[in-house]
Amino acid sequence: MDNYLNNLLLAIPLAPLGGAVLAGLFGKYIKRAGSHWVTILGVAVSFVCAVLVFKYLVLEGKHGDKYETTVYQWLVSDGIRFQVGFLIDRLTMVMMLVVTFVSLMVHIYTIGYMKDDPGYQRFFSYIALFTFSMLMLVMSNNFMQLFFGWEAVGLVSYLLIGFWFKKETAIFANLKAFLVNRVGDFGFILGIAAVLLYAGSMDYNEVFAFAANKGFDNKTIEIIPGTPWSAITVICILLFIGAMGKSAQVPLHVWLPDSMEGPTPISALIHAATMVTAGIFMVARMSPLYIESEVALMVVLSVGAITALFMGLLGLVQNDIKRVVAYSTLSQLGYMTVALGTGAFAAGIFHLMTHAFFKALLFLAAGSVIIAMHHEQDMRKMGNLKKYMPITYITSLVGSLALIGFPFFSGFYSKDVIIEATHHLAQHNGTLVAKLAYYSVLGGVFITALYSFRMFFMVFHGTERMDEHTRSHLRETPWVVTGPLILLAIPSVFIGAMVIHPMLFGGFFGGAIKAPAGYDVLADIGKSYHGVFGFTLHGMLQPPFFLALAGIATAWYFILKRPDLGAAVRTRFRALAGLLEQKYYFDHLYQYVFAAGGRLIGRFFWRVGDVRLIDGAMVNGSARVVAWFSGLVRRFQSGYLFHYAIAIILGLLGMLTWLVWPLIKGVVHGV
C-alpha cells in the first residue's frame, strides 16, 4: 500500500465534493465570494493532485503501468463484491487531467459570467458536484462505481440544464435530457447485469480476464425465443446504448442541443469534459470486451458515422451561437465514436482530449460574446465584434481552426488520424459500412469548416447588426472571462502535436486499451508515421485539408462576399432547409408519437384500470356491497322490543332444532 499515492487519489474526487458541500449547504453564510473560492480551490487541488499522480506513475515510472486500490467494500452478496475503488492507468490519468483542468477553467470563468445571478452559490455547488461525479466515473475499477458516476453526472446535468427553473424551456430541456438518458441507461444497466450473469463479477480486471480467456465464447442469449445471439455482442451493444444516451449519438442525441438552456459555463463543462465524454470513455475502457465482437464494432462505427455527418449538417441552419457549437459537439462525438468502431480506441481518446480544450474554448468564447451583447445569442444581430473584443476574437479563431482540423492545430492531428483509420479499415475489410463511414467523416470535414466559419464570420466580421444601445456598451469582457480563454487556447494549438506520437504510436496507454486481434488499424498507420512534421505535410496533401479550405472559402463567400445568396439558396432548396430546421423531425417523432402515445396508453389504463376496475369495481364496488348489505340488515333493526323478542325466540328455536335434530334422526333410524 502506498499511502502517499492513496491520499492523492482520495483528494482528487473529494476536494471538489468538499467545495460543493460547502457552497451548497453553507453558501448563505460564506456568501458569493466564499462559494466561488471553496469550489475553485477544491477543483484546483484536484488538478494539482492529478498532475502529481501523473508525475509519480508516468514520469517516475512507479507501480508500472497502473495502480489499483480499494477504498472500501460496500457489501458481499453470494460471493460478489461491491466495492468503491480506483483503477489508475494511463487512460484514467488522461481523463483526470482533462476533466480537472477544463473544470478549473470553467469555474474561474463562471465568476464573470454568473456575477449577477441570484443562484450564484447554488451554481458553483452544482458544477463542483459535476466534477466530482465525472471523476468517480473515470477513476472507477468496477461496474458498480462506474454506474454510480454514470447516474450522478446524469442527475447533476438535469439540475444544471434546468438551473434557471423559472424558464419553461429550461424545465422542458432538463426533463428531455433526463428521460432520453433513462432510455440509454436502461440498456446500460442491462449490459452490466449481463456481464455479472456471465462473468460472475463486477470487477474490471476479473471481467476482462474472463473475456481474454474466451469465457464469452459459445455463450448465447435468446432475446427472441429460439434465436440465440452471441452473449458478448449483446453485452457490448447494450453498453453502447448507454453510451449513445450519454454521448448523444443518433437516435438518442435530441437532448444535447436543448441543453443550451442552461448557463454557458455548464454548456462548456457538459460538452467538453464531463457528461458527453462519459460514453466515449466507457467504450474505450471496455475495449477488452469490444474487441471480442466485430458485429458490435460495426454497430458503433455505423452510429458514429451517421452522427458525424448528419448532425453536422444541422449546424448550417442554426442562428443561435451556442446551438451552432452544440451541433459541432454532436458531430465531433460522432468522429470519436467512429474511431472506437474502427478499433482505434486510442484515437478516440486522443480526439476526446483535444476536443475538450477547443470545445471548452469555443463555448466560453461564445459566452464572452453573449456577455458583451447583453445576453443576445442570435448571430443575425451581431457582426464586426473583432473591433470591440480582440481577445475573444483571437481565441475564437484558434478554437475554430482547431475544430475544423487546420494544420498545426490540435484538432488537425486527432481528426486526421480518425479519417485515416477509417480509410485503412475500409481498404482492409472492404465492407460497405466501413466505406460509407469513411465518406461520412470525409464529408463532415467540409460541413464542419462551413458551419464553424459561418458562425465566425457572422459574429466577428461583416456589418454591425446590433442595436445602438448594445453597440454603445460593447467592450472586451473582464480577465476572469478572457483568462480561461487564453489558457484553453494554448493546448488547443499545441497539445495535438506534442502527444500524437506517444499516445497513438508509442504505446502510451499500455494495457489500458486493447486493439482488435485481427487488424490493428493504428499499428498499420504507424508503419508510415515519420514524425509530427511528416504527418502534417502528408495531411496537407490529403482531401481533408482541401475540404476544410473549401468550407472556409464557401462560408466567406456566402457570409461576407455575397450575403444575399443565402436567402436564394434557401428558397431553391426549401424542402432540404425545412428538413434541417426541423432536425430531421426526431423531436416530432418523440413528442407526438412516443410521448403522446405513452400518455394515451396511460390515460387508457387510468380510465379502465384505475377508474373503472380499482376505484369503480374494487374500492367503490366493495363500498356499494357493504352499503347494500347494511341496508338489508338495517331492515331488521326496527327499534320495537317485540320484534327483537320474536327474533330471539326464532333464533333460539333454530338453535334448539339444530341441536336436537341429530337426536330425533337417531331415534327415527333406531325405530
Side-chain angles (χ1 to χ4, degrees), residues 252-311:
L252 301 181
H253 65 283
V254 293
W255 67 271
L256 192 60
D258 286 359
S259 69
M260 298 301 97
E261 292 295 334
T264 299
I266 192 51
S267 299
L269 200 54
I270 287 177
H271 287 242
T274 53
M275 186 162 166
V276 300
T277 62
I280 306 300
F281 163 79
M282 184 274 294
V283 175
R285 171 61 77 201
M286 299 299 142
S287 60
L289 302 183
Y290 279 88
I291 62 175
E292 299 295 326
S293 174
E294 186 176 350
V295 173
L297 288 176
M298 287 298 102
V299 170
V300 174
L301 180 64
S302 303
V303 171
I306 292 169
T307 305
L309 178 61
F310 290 97
M311 293 302 105

Side-chain angles (χ1 to χ4, degrees), residues 11-12 14-19 37-47:
I12 290 172
L14 293 182
L17 178 63
W37 274 114
V38 294
T39 51
I40 290 173
L41 285 174
V43 177
V45 167
S46 183
F47 173 64

Side-chain angles (χ1 to χ4, degrees), residues 9-64:
L9 294 177
L10 281 171
I12 290 172
L14 293 182
L17 178 63
V21 170
L22 289 172
L25 299 182
F26 304 103
K28 178 181 178 181
Y29 306 102
I30 62 177
K31 307 299 182 186
R32 296 163 75 90
S35 295
H36 71 237
W37 274 114
V38 294
T39 51
I40 290 173
L41 285 174
V43 177
V45 167
S46 183
F47 173 64
V48 170
C49 290
V51 172
L52 292 175
V53 169
F54 182 82
K55 173 179 176 293
Y56 192 72
L57 293 179
V58 177
L59 301 183
E60 296 178 6
K62 297 182 180 179
H63 295 287

Side-chain angles (χ1 to χ4, degrees), residues 16 94 195 293 325 431 471 484 520 544 580 591 606:
V94 168
V195 168
S293 174
V325 186
T431 61
R471 182 186 290 108
D520 186 345
L580 296 179
Q591 291 178 39
W606 166 64

Side-chain angles (χ1 to χ4, degrees), residues 624-638:
R624 283 193 292 269
V625 170
V626 170
W628 172 81
F629 184 73
S630 299
L632 184 63
V633 172
R634 192 162 54 244
R635 294 176 182 273
F636 297 99
Q637 304 294 322
S638 66

